Amino acid sequence: MKKYKYLYGPVPSRRMGLSLGVSPIPKKYCNYSCIYCQLGRTNNLTNNRETFYDNSEILKEFEDYLKENIKFDVITIVGEGEPTLYKDIKELIIGLKEKTSKPVAVITNGSLLYEKEVRNALTYADIVLPSLDAYDEETFKKINRPYGKIKFKEILDGLIMFSNEYKGQLWLETMIIKDINDSEEALKKMKETFRNINYDRLYINTPVRPPAEDWVEQVSDKTIQLAVKTLNGISIEMLKSEGFYSEEENDYDAILSIIRRHPMNQFEINSFLNTRNCNNIDEIFQKLSLNSNVEIVNYKGYNTYRLR
Ligand code: SF4
């Protein structure tokens, strides 16, 4: 496979299947320096949106990639930092969507959504995954250590505004950190904070990879369960270990047994089959599409499967 500068993967993503990453910013350019960041401390703390790279160069690389016919389910714009700092992100999303029918997702810290231009740019994506870990100015400063004068209220208002304007899938993610935002009281405050955000899913995470600050600790499974219950969210860990499970040995039968009770989207099916080391995923999708008992609902460019 050819070496790429802006693309990486595809990598299996628990939420989205096989994800092809597109990074439009240089390493560790971010307007936060989160205590849990797996990239370490931010050495280029900036809030200036810039055209770091020529959009046509990134799109050209994507065209070359498509020629290799490598399978992927979703394109994810995610930098080793904050991708909305890339000034041409709207043109990038539009350009990617013109070249493929695969959904385009953006993983962002959501901090720039108070800017109209950023909100407008992200409306072109099929899935937007912003994060929100704090419930007030103090926890925001403690966890995310934002650039200069970025204020919690401002970023929350931006997120609320975007969530009401956006027609695609909005999957919010929150990081629960031991002794920082994991108490019952903190979780209740978070619930209150999230109340006005119009999201489709809420993913609950905890720092499982080496964090920027070595004193940052992940929470126990019990606390994750408490957060899942209080916030009515989905645990990312559970997606891996217990999210979907079937006793059926045959992979196709396993999918049928799950979608009988619980619809699965194409990415969840993909991830699930990957965890079972299945080597005929395409065939299974083909079989599902030919099964008249399986209802396939297409929404915003991706399919959800359920048994009639
Ligand atoms: S927003 Fe993301 S990239 Fe930026 S410091 Fe936080 S975790 Fe790291």
Side-chain angles (χ1 to χ4, degrees):
M1 189 167 113
K2 200 181 144 190
K3 268 221 165 272
Y4 292 99
K5 182 175 170 191
Y6 308 106
L7 308 183
Y8 67 91
V11 291
S13 147
R14 277 177 261 169
R15 289 174 292 188
M16 294 184 286
L18 271 183
S19 157
L20 173 68
V22 178
S23 175
I25 55 164
K27 197 168 177 181
K28 209 65 229 250
Y29 269 70
C30 194
N31 48 7
Y32 286 1
S33 183
C34 303
I35 54 174
Y36 59 77
C37 185
Q38 51 180 309
L39 307 167
R41 287 185 195 153
T42 302
N43 40 21
N44 297 296
L45 193 65
T46 173
N47 208 32
N48 277 348
R49 302 190 63 223
E50 285 177 55
T51 301
F52 296 103
Y53 305 111
D54 193 350
N55 191 31
S56 58
E57 236 183 78
I58 306 177
L59 292 173
K60 168 78 184 54
E61 205 175 89
F62 182 59
E63 266 174 23
D64 292 345
Y65 182 87
L66 289 177
K67 285 184 199 140
E68 292 204 57
N69 278 323
I70 303 164
K71 203 175 145 340
F72 63 93
D73 301 312
V74 59
I75 304 150
T76 308
I77 301 179
V78 51
E80 290 178 298
E82 174 47 39
T84 58
L85 286 172
Y86 181 55
K87 200 152 176 35
D88 293 349
I89 191 161
K90 174 175 156 184
E91 291 70 24
L92 175 61
I93 298 169
I94 293 173
L96 290 168
K97 286 185 71 71
E98 274 168 8
K99 295 184 193 310
T100 170
S101 56
K102 296 284 160 88
V104 174
V106 179
I107 297 187
T108 169
N109 64 21
S111 58
L112 290 167
L113 290 170
Y114 65 86
E115 283 194 21
K116 194 162 185 231
E117 192 180 308
V118 175
R119 289 202 302 280
N120 175 264
L122 296 198
T123 54
Y124 290 86
D126 299 291
I127 311 170
V128 175
L129 301 101
S131 52
L132 185 64
D133 316 313
Y135 51 84
D136 61 12
E137 191 65 40
E138 197 188 328
T139 42
F140 180 49
K141 289 231 164 72
K142 204 186 266 177
I143 300 171
N144 305 109
R145 301 187 298 195
Y147 173 88
K149 293 194 172 55
I150 302 179
K151 289 274 168 285
F152 180 70
K153 174 142 185 3
E154 199 171 49
I155 63 125
L156 181 60
D157 287 349
L159 196 46
I160 292 171
M161 254 189 282
F162 178 69
S163 75
N164 288 322
E165 293 163 10
Y166 182 53
K167 303 276 183 286
Q169 285 285 304
L170 190 75
W171 298 353
L172 194 63
E173 176 174 339
T174 190
M175 188 69 88
I176 307 294
I177 306 155
K178 190 162 178 238
D179 297 334
I180 307 269
N181 59 354
D182 64 334
S183 66
E184 258 188 75
E185 199 197 339
L187 292 171
K188 279 188 188 143
K189 285 185 182 161
M190 285 170 90
K191 185 181 177 181
E192 192 50 33
T193 307
F194 295 168
R195 207 166 48 93
N196 295 320
I197 307 171
N198 187 10
Y199 54 83
D200 298 285
R201 299 183 188 178
L202 169 68
Y203 284 105
I204 291 164
N205 209 350
T206 193
V208 285
R209 305 220 175 90
E213 305 303 333
D214 56 12
W215 48 266
V216 168
E217 286 182 54
Q218 65 185 87
V219 296
S220 64
D221 286 351
K222 204 169 147 219
T223 307
I224 289 285
Q225 291 309 327
L226 177 69
V228 164
K229 204 165 145 226
T230 313
L231 302 171
N232 195 17
I234 307 161
S235 155
I236 292 196
E237 273 306 291
M238 270 165 54
L239 275 187
K240 180 181 70 176
S241 50
E242 308 157 34
F244 292 106
Y245 174 76
S246 171
E247 282 180 350
E248 293 285 349
E249 261 182 40
N250 176 286
D251 290 327
Y252 179 68
D253 292 339
I255 298 289
L256 291 182
S257 76
I258 296 171
I259 62 173
R260 185 164 295 130
R261 312 180 304 265
H262 188 300
M264 289 171 99
N265 71 36
Q266 64 188 81
F267 309 120
E268 288 164 336
I269 294 179
N270 221 312
S271 301
F272 172 75
L273 293 173
N274 275 321
T275 60
R276 291 170 61 113
N277 297 322
C278 171
N279 53 19
N280 60 337
I281 296 182
D282 284 345
E283 247 172 64
I284 290 183
F285 274 108
Q286 175 78 3
K287 252 175 118 175
L288 286 169
S289 68
L290 294 173
N291 184 335
S292 58
N293 289 323
V294 175
E295 188 180 7
I296 305 175
V297 184
N298 187 280
Y299 178 68
K300 282 277 163 194
Y302 69 89
N303 291 331
T304 296
Y305 295 75
R306 60 186 178 216
L307 222 56
R308 286 183 208 274

